[in-house]
Amino acid sequence: QVQLVESGGGLVQAGGSLVLSCAASGTIFSVNFMGWYRQAPGKQRELVAGSTGGGIINYADSVKGRFAISRDYAKNTVYLRMNSLKPEDTAVYYCKADIRTTHLPMEYDYWGQGTQVTVSS
């Protein structure tokens, strides 16, 4: 069993900052990719920022220069620092991780429950 537990969402004014965190726990053998997606009402879920196990990081063009992803590999935790937030950043943010458990020899995708981020103008 693997769980991803997110925290840190909330309501913030435009120009403000938030930090999201996501911790993976359970029968984990290894964690490769960890990242953040978001889904706004009426829109498809999109990748916001991701970090591979080898440390390669990528961002959506819309958040480059404003958001920063980081990882604590020892704690299987990923963070998303969001600065200069805009109303268009309003969405449910989901953590995703590619995890190999101790039971199976391959990786599977795991998702967090989602955390709401609302940016007021």
Side-chain angles (χ1 to χ4, degrees):
Q1 286 277 27
V2 172
Q3 282 189 319
L4 299 185
V5 179
E6 303 156 350
S7 61
L11 173 64
V12 64
Q13 288 189 331
S17 299
L18 283 174
V19 178
L20 306 182
S21 64
C22 171
S25 63
T27 54
I28 296 172
F29 179 80
S30 62
V31 181
N32 191 356
F33 173 90
M34 292 192 85
W36 293 93
Y37 289 71
R38 67 186 180 187
Q39 187 166 20
K43 295 189 176 181
Q44 288 190 329
R45 190 172 297 189
E46 62 174 356
L47 175 67
V48 177
S51 170
T52 68
I56 298 172
I57 291 174
N58 62 307
Y59 295 98
D61 288 342
S62 59
V63 306
K64 284 180 180 176
R66 300 188 297 121
F67 290 12
I69 188 170
S70 61
R71 288 175 68 167
D72 184 330
Y73 287 85
K75 295 182 179 180
N76 292 326
T77 299
V78 63
Y79 305 93
L80 185 68
R81 172 169 288 280
M82 305 183 292
N83 296 325
S84 303
L85 282 160
K86 304 176 181 180
E88 51 263 43
D89 294 317
T90 296
V92 178
Y93 284 68
Y94 296 91
C95 173
K96 175 186 176 287
D98 297 347
I99 295 174
R100 178 182 168 185
T101 67
T102 56
H103 308 306
L104 296 170
M106 59 191 69
E107 292 178 355
Y108 289 92
D109 294 349
Y110 291 87
W111 291 87
Q113 78 281 4
T115 184
Q116 178 71 45
V117 172
T118 303
V119 184
S120 63
S121 56

